[in-house]
Structure formats: structure tokens, C-alpha cells
Amino acid sequence: MSRFKTLKSLRQAGTDTSDGSIREVAKMSWPIIVGMLSYTVMGVADTLFVGWIGTSELAAVGLATTAILLLNALFMGTLHGSKVLCSQATGRGCPEEAKRFGWAGVYLALPFGLIVAALAFFGAPIFSLMGGPAEVQALAQDYFWVAAAGSIFWYVAMAICNYFQGIGNTRTPMMISVLANVLNIALDPLLIFGLGPIPAMGVGGAALATVIAQAAGMVVAAVIFMRQVGLIRMPKWRQAVDKVVDLGLPMGIRNALGVGAFTAFTALLARMGEDQLAAHQIALKVMSISFLPGQGLSETVTILIGQYFGAGRFEAARRAFKSTLLIALGLMGTCGVVFFAFGEQLVRVFNSDASVVYLGSKLLLVAAFYQVFDAIAIVATGALNGTGDTKFTMWMGVGSAWLVLLPASYLFAFTLEGGAVGAWLGMTVQLIVLAAVTLLRFTRSDWQGAAQRADVKRLAPA
């Protein structure tokens, strides 16, 4: 409650000690980054343990996780609308309004999770469309049906964490993710390789460990949510849900079509053979060391700009953007240097096959080059979402994925015979375009006035 009162009083007074500085961004972002890194470690643990079984199993997990991302993308992005609305309500000093949007997110999470769970039984046709060797497809189904069936746990936990992050409490979601990750790492070797009466389940065991960890995280999140928010009266609950969908659906569409394009991108790599796909999967896991902290900073700038816009403090919003961008450039640029210098050693941690190590290290060289562009694109997109400009980020994300990523990747990978490295060069072209356009959109001279007229007024309480 003090958070809301402070923001409201500062707004009324026309002053603010939290002014979008690097210190403020760092204070809010580090728990988000730790939480995202925790989930990264969860995925890396699955990849590491499964990689010890074989290359086919590793490729299968990569294929299955790509399919799961595709199915979750629309709903996951839509739920993020509640985070933006909670942050803007916080800026206006309206805690009860933020709680309503938090519950609206939970209401949406339940049917979203059930829909994805129902798709768990359609793994065979999904992987048939994606392509790849028959053995890899069969193994991917083992992972997919377990992970998809348990999606509802992840959705509910995410909706609750969106509320906490929106009001500025980023430490609670971090704690939940770290607890879930520790449990996942403990369960992975037991369920993948077996121990005593526990049978070895292979890739299916990796998925089951993740689902159990997600369920535990949901329970912890629900307990905290009920203690701090509790049941509230929502006579106009449909209006709250409609607002979340209205703001979040463009983000969901962007996610879905963006991941759809990346699925097609992965399908191209799958047709190049197991080694190319396995190298791609490992490089993605290594690159997540950089990408997910960057994504955490994007979430931070979305929250801060949403709060400052709710309070009508547009200059503070601009400073928050600049501060976040500086941190992202420094962090992701440093990771790029590590990828360049130690790419081969990083890949070898996951797989010792000479061909996979060689290809994976080349992919990390490409990743090292595009880190700066990735940082700009991620932060600028998050900033635009915080202003409510989600339709622009939707069109830009979809357009760059389908009109730049796929054609450029096909050109470099097949026409110019560059293989997986060529495909990643296509991804570099996409990020350069995305970074340039989103940065221009945010920094244009009339962005404050346009956001104030089109978004803040529309989202203000009646």
C-alpha cells in the first residue's frame, strides 16, 4: 500500500525521487533478471542432462520446446497486458484497480492453460509438419505431451507474477522462479536416468521434472497472492478482462506470429540434419545467458514507463528508457565478447561431438556480433509496450519476422549454401532492422503527446 501512496503523493506534488535513473532501473531489474536466469538454468539443466543421453535426444528437446513456445506465445503475450495495466494503475495511485487487473490475469490464465493442455495429444501431426528425422520426432513427442499437459501450472504462476511485477514487487516472482528451478535441477537426474524404484524416463523425465517444478511454483505464488491480495469483489470483472485482452492481444499476436516464424526457422535447420539442429539448440541455450537478462531489462522498462505514464511523468519515462538501454548494451555487449572468445568451450559443455562443437561455436560468433542490435530492439520494444503502443510493436515484430528473418535466412542458408551459420546471419539482419525501427518510433519528437492522448487517457479510471 505504501508504494501506491508514495507514487500518488509524488504525482500530486509534481516531484519524484525515483526518476528513471540507472540506480532505479538496476534496483527493479535485478530480481527480474535473476528470475529469468533461473528459468534459463531450468532449460539449460534439461539440455545438459539430455545431451548426455545422445544427439538425437538433444535435437528432440529443441524441437519440442520450439513447438511449446509456439502454442504458448499467443496466450503468454496476452497475459502481459495485465502487467502493463497494473503498472499504470500503480502510477495513478490506484491499488484496488491494480488488484482487479491482477485477478483478471488469473481468470484468463485458467482457460489458456486448459487449451494448451488439450493440445498435448496432437504431438504427432505437429512434429510431422515441423519435419526432421523420424527418431527425433518420436522423442520430441515424449517431451511435448508431458510439458503441454502441465501448462496450466505455468500460466497461473505467470499471471500472478505479472501482478507483482506490475506494482513494482519484482522480488516475489524472483523467489518463486528460483525455488522452482532448484526443484527442477534436483528432479532432472532422478527422472531422466532413474534411481532405485524410479525408472529412467529419458526426455519425458526432463519434461516431468519441469512440470513438477512449475506446479510447486504455482502453489507458492497462489499462497502469497491470496495473503497479499485476497478475494476481492469484481462486479465489473468482464470489463477488467476486456481491458487486459485489448492491450495484451497485440502482444500475444506478435509473440505467436514471431514464434511461428522462428518455428519455421527451426524447421529449416531441422532439414539440414541432426548436427545442425543440435548445434542450433546448444547455441540458443548459451545465448540465453545474454538474451534473458536483456528480456528482463525489457520487462523492467515496460513496468517503469507504465508507472510513469500513469503518473503523467513523461520525462522520467524517457530517462528510464535511456538508463535501461545503457545497462542492456553493457551487459549484452559483455556477453558478446564472451561468446566470441570462448564459444567452443561453451558448446563443448553440452556436447562433445566434433561437428556439433564446430557448428555451435560458429553460431556463437554470429551471436556475438548482433548483441548490440538485440539489446536496442529488446529495450525499445519493451518501452513502447509500456506506453501502450502494443499495436505498433505487433506489426513491427510480425513484419520483421516474416518479411526479413525467413527470406534472409533462406537466402543465406540454402541459396548461398551457408547452412546453419547462414540462417543465423538472416537473424542478424532481422535484429538490425527491428532495432532501427523501434528506436526511431520511441524517440520520435511527438511520442509523449501521442501516448498521452491515445493510451493514458483511454486507460484512466472512469
Side-chain angles (χ1 to χ4, degrees):
M1 183 68 72
S2 59
R3 168 75 174 171
F4 292 97
K5 289 181 178 178
T6 300
L7 284 169
K8 188 172 184 179
S9 62
L10 288 171
R11 181 188 178 194
Q12 292 171 344
T15 60
D16 200 337
T17 57
S18 300
D19 58 355
S21 65
I22 289 179
R23 180 177 181 180
E24 182 192 28
V25 172
K27 182 178 180 181
M28 179 172 286
S29 65
W30 77 261
I32 298 178
I33 293 173
V34 170
M36 287 192 165
L37 282 174
S38 179
Y39 278 116
T40 301
V41 171
M42 187 181 292
V44 169
D46 286 350
T47 303
L48 184 61
F49 286 120
V50 170
W52 291 344
I53 303 175
T55 300
S56 295
E57 287 79 1
L58 183 62
V61 171
L63 202 61
T65 52
T66 300
I68 291 168
L69 281 174
L70 176 61
L71 295 179
N72 286 327
L74 175 64
F75 300 141
M76 180 177 66
T78 302
L79 282 180
H80 272 65
S82 67
K83 181 186 297 184
V84 176
L85 291 168
C86 287
S87 69
Q88 293 183 344
T90 300
R92 288 193 294 270
C94 302
E96 295 305 315
E97 185 181 0
K99 290 178 181 179
R100 286 195 293 272
F101 288 132
W103 269 109
V106 175
Y107 291 166
L108 286 169
L110 294 171
F112 287 173
L114 291 175
I115 290 171
V116 174
L119 296 173
F121 302 99
F122 296 91
I126 290 173
F127 294 116
S128 178
L129 287 173
M130 293 181 68
E135 180 186 4
V136 173
Q137 289 188 37
L139 289 168
Q141 291 178 48
D142 292 341
Y143 188 98
F144 174 80
W145 83 264
V146 177
S151 292
I152 191 168
F153 306 124
W154 179 68
Y155 272 108
V156 173
M158 179 174 62
I160 293 172
C161 290
N162 281 343
Y163 164 76
F164 284 120
Q165 289 180 348
I167 66 171
N169 178 1
T170 56
R171 296 193 181 190
T172 294
M174 176 195 68
M175 179 196 70
I176 293 168
S177 65
V178 169
L179 288 174
N181 179 59
V182 170
L183 181 59
N184 178 76
I185 292 176
L187 291 174
D188 256 340
L190 295 177
L191 299 179
I192 293 173
F193 304 109
L195 180 66
I198 302 175
M201 303 180 195
V203 295
L208 182 58
T210 299
V211 169
I212 293 174
Q214 289 172 344
M218 184 207 71
V219 171
V220 174
V223 169
I224 298 173
F225 185 73
M226 291 303 297
R227 286 180 177 176
Q228 296 189 17
V229 177
L231 295 172
I232 63 174
R233 294 187 60 191
M234 290 185 62
K236 298 181 179 180
W237 66 270
R238 190 174 297 237
Q239 292 182 12
V241 170
D242 287 345
K243 281 190 174 182
V244 172
V245 172
D246 182 53
L247 191 65
L249 186 58
M251 289 189 279
I253 293 173
R254 174 182 179 271
N255 276 2
L257 294 181
V259 173
F262 197 77
T263 301
F265 176 81
T266 302
L268 290 177
L269 289 166
R271 298 179 192 280
M272 299 176 191
E274 288 185 9
D275 289 349
Q276 303 265 1
L277 183 59
H280 165 73
Q281 170 69 6
I282 292 172
L284 283 179
K285 290 299 181 185
V286 174
M287 194 188 68
S288 65
I289 298 171
S290 168
F291 173 77
L292 283 184
Q295 189 63 38
L297 287 167
S298 177
E299 297 291 338
T300 300
V301 80
T302 297
I303 295 166
L304 286 173
I305 287 182
Q307 291 182 351
Y308 284 130
F309 267 57
R313 292 185 48 79
F314 303 113
E315 284 304 315
R318 184 185 292 275
R319 287 193 295 271
F321 169 75
K322 292 180 179 179
S323 298
T324 307
L325 183 59
L326 285 174
I327 296 174
L329 288 171
L331 179 61
M332 297 180 72
T334 300
C335 289
V337 173
V338 174
F339 297 159
F340 178 83
F342 304 103
E344 183 175 327
Q345 292 89 332
L346 290 170
V347 175
R348 200 178 293 277
V349 171
F350 297 92
N351 194 292
S352 59
D353 183 274
S355 177
V356 173
V357 171
Y358 174 79
L359 288 169
S361 63
K362 295 300 181 184
L363 296 181
L364 288 179
L365 287 178
V366 178
F369 172 74
Y370 69 58
Q371 289 303 297
V372 170
F373 303 107
D374 201 9
I376 296 172
I378 287 174
V379 174
T381 299
L384 289 169
N385 286 337
T387 70
D389 197 6
T390 56
K391 290 183 179 178
F392 175 80
T393 59
M394 174 189 72
W395 288 115
M396 193 59 227
V398 171
S400 67
W402 288 93
L403 301 181
V404 180
L405 171 64
L406 292 180
S409 296
Y410 188 88
L411 172 66
F412 290 126
F414 291 97
T415 306
L416 301 180
E417 300 181 349
V421 174
W424 276 51
L425 288 174
M427 189 176 358
T428 303
V429 174
Q430 180 212 9
L431 289 171
I432 292 173
V433 171
L434 191 60
V437 177
T438 53
L439 184 62
L440 179 64
R441 174 76 169 189
F442 188 82
T443 57
R444 73 173 196 248
S445 59
D446 64 340
W447 71 271
Q448 295 176 356
Q452 184 179 15
R453 291 189 302 271
D455 296 299
V456 174
K457 183 177 179 180
R458 177 177 65 86
L459 294 172

